[in-house]
Amino acid sequence: MRPLTLLSRRMRPIRPALIVAALGAAALPGLAAGETGLATSRDDLTAADIERVEAVTRPTTDFSAAEKYEALPGGAATSRKRVNQDAFSHASANLSFEEEGTFKLGNALFRKLWVSSPSSTQASDGLGPLFNARACQSCHLKDGRGHPPEGDRDATSMFLRLSRAPRTPDEQALLKNKSLLNLPDPVYGGQLQDLAVPGLKGEGRMVVTYEEFTVTLADGTDVAMRRPDYAVSDLAYGPMDVSTTLSPRVTPPMIGLGLIEQIHPADILGLADPDDADGDGISGKPNIVRDPASGALVLGRFGWKAQTPSIRRQSAEAFAGDIGISSPDLPNHWGDCTPSQADCLAAATGVQPRLGDSEAPDPVLDLVTFYSQNLAVPARRDVDDPQVLNGKQVFYDLGCASCHRPKFVTRRDAPNKAHAFQLIWPYSDFLLHDMGPRMADWQVVGDARGGEWRTPPLWGIGLTETVNGHTFFLHDGRARNLTEAILWHGGEGEAARDGFAALNADDRAALIRFLETL
């Protein structure tokens, strides 16, 4: 074991007093005080519960053995099934028998291939007219992590999000009051769709090129890196707006989403420190978004920019943007088609009045949402291994746990008992952090600036190759392994990155081994 050293960055406790700062004028310009309505403390717990939660989530200082329950990152919902290619596709272990049936129905719809309209399979038509994939599973292969186009692989699990600058005072007002998080390209919408139904053309093709370079670590080890550049070729409907930015996004793993949804907002907001009041170099801030259903301001916690407040909303947006399927929450029967694409808007839809007012009516959206909420986090491996424990201490010493916060306790009043009052280990604070210009996409999404990204959860990261057959990481898969991913950290992650580069080979290997057990 390494001797315990002073942490290079102190891991802050949850501090409700900072919630006011996190929701202040800097984060929410133009909004009236109190408009968020977000709880600033755990209103689901008794005083005794709060004391227990604070004790169990307190950062450890003992790296001589694994912590209690550390091998169960999803609490009682953790899957203990055999680790293989299906490791991310199991249901939460604490579902009831009836809920397991609901999960299986949702899985069937998640895998369902949609077809273009009109079709004899009336419950399955409505695809597109422009789209990126025909099924949810096509993007979230094996419920895991997407990849950039590599060799002859397609771009099904990686998208280009499109956003342009506001042009008018009215557009600026829509962004300021959060009626919109950003503005789509006037011709190509909010996402580039490379596929289309018969008779139409896909919008264009994503082109990725890489510049190779080398980073030399303190001990002389050379690490090959690659810097991506993005463009679009074969634009079928004319030029994009000159201010439109391209933001590449690989599909993230689906595990543990229902547990993340039940982390109390106060516990996430209490970690925010947008002005770095404590001077530790970490300035995490929330992305506060407007709930389209209620109109209230709520905490965004899903997506690479923390732009989505709930799994149901995330599912509806994926149906509309990725597949071109309308739902009650997003009744866009023509998907992401714009007024500039007349032929697209003239195409037939798959709405069947006898089934509902959308192509994926409530029963479909409900089942896919339930499935997405209950994909289990696999149990950890080798938590007591000496090298793993050494790597865990390195993780803390470098300050990685300042953003990749190890643990939370979910809400006691969660709608589904399977998610209620669980000690979970996602290794994320679900806040936005500035990762520096090298990682920036220069695309604003709500409160997320061009260089800011939500801290991605690390649970399951060590099983990426087992499930998906690759080790591409970060928002665009530029990192080909965990070492490259760490070395891409800049901005608020720069000190941790430099600390990693200064480690000896044994400690670097221990850190990577620890991450591979998550």
Side-chain angles (χ1 to χ4, degrees), residues 147-400:
H147 58 78
E150 293 289 323
D152 59 356
R153 294 185 182 186
D154 64 22
T156 302
S157 60
M158 179 168 165
F159 309 107
L160 284 179
R161 293 286 172 86
L162 311 177
S163 178
R164 64 170 172 86
R167 297 171 175 169
T168 67
D170 286 345
E171 289 182 343
Q172 292 174 341
L174 289 171
L175 296 175
K176 188 174 183 179
N177 69 19
K178 297 178 177 287
S179 296
L180 294 175
L181 296 181
N182 56 9
L183 296 166
D185 183 86
V187 175
Y188 293 93
Q191 183 168 301
L192 185 77
Q193 280 91 24
D194 57 345
L195 302 174
V197 298
L200 292 178
K201 293 181 179 179
E203 292 180 318
R205 184 173 61 87
M206 175 172 56
V207 178
V208 190
T209 56
Y210 294 99
E211 175 190 353
E212 300 285 338
F213 66 100
T214 300
V215 170
T216 302
L217 307 183
D219 64 359
T221 300
D222 287 336
V223 179
M225 305 275 283
R226 60 179 190 173
R227 182 181 294 107
D229 182 71
Y230 298 94
V232 178
S233 67
D234 305 324
L235 285 172
Y237 300 92
M240 288 185 179
D241 188 272
V242 293
S243 68
T244 293
T245 55
L246 309 177
S247 181
R249 314 278 179 88
V250 298
T251 52
M254 299 285 292
I255 57 173
L257 297 183
L259 295 167
I260 294 170
E261 194 169 40
Q262 295 308 317
I263 298 173
H264 197 286
D267 282 353
I268 296 174
L269 296 171
L271 297 170
D273 186 11
D275 299 318
D276 193 17
D278 60 6
D280 68 351
I282 302 298
S283 306
K285 73 178 188 184
N287 199 350
I288 304 300
V289 302
R290 197 171 291 281
D291 182 357
S294 67
L297 292 172
V298 295
L299 176 67
R301 61 181 80 197
F302 299 106
W304 286 104
K305 297 274 189 175
Q307 72 273 18
T308 310
S310 69
I311 299 169
R312 182 181 175 92
R313 183 67 184 184
Q314 187 179 51
S315 300
E317 290 178 352
F319 266 130
D322 303 347
I323 311 178
I325 296 294
S326 61
S327 67
D329 291 33
L330 269 176
N332 304 348
H333 307 320
W334 292 272
D336 196 32
C337 296
T338 69
S340 298
Q341 298 167 327
D343 289 344
C344 183
L345 294 176
T349 75
V351 177
Q352 306 294 333
R354 63 185 177 82
L355 300 176
D357 296 329
S358 59
E359 294 161 327
D362 272 323
V364 173
L365 186 58
D366 289 346
L367 287 166
V368 170
T369 299
F370 186 86
Y371 174 75
S372 302
Q373 288 171 328
N374 286 287
L375 284 159
V377 182
R380 277 192 59 195
R381 290 83 51 213
D382 302 325
V383 293
D384 281 316
D385 183 272
Q387 186 187 33
V388 172
L389 292 170
N390 183 30
K392 179 181 176 182
Q393 183 175 351
V394 174
F395 184 85
Y396 276 69
D397 284 355
L398 292 178
C400 304

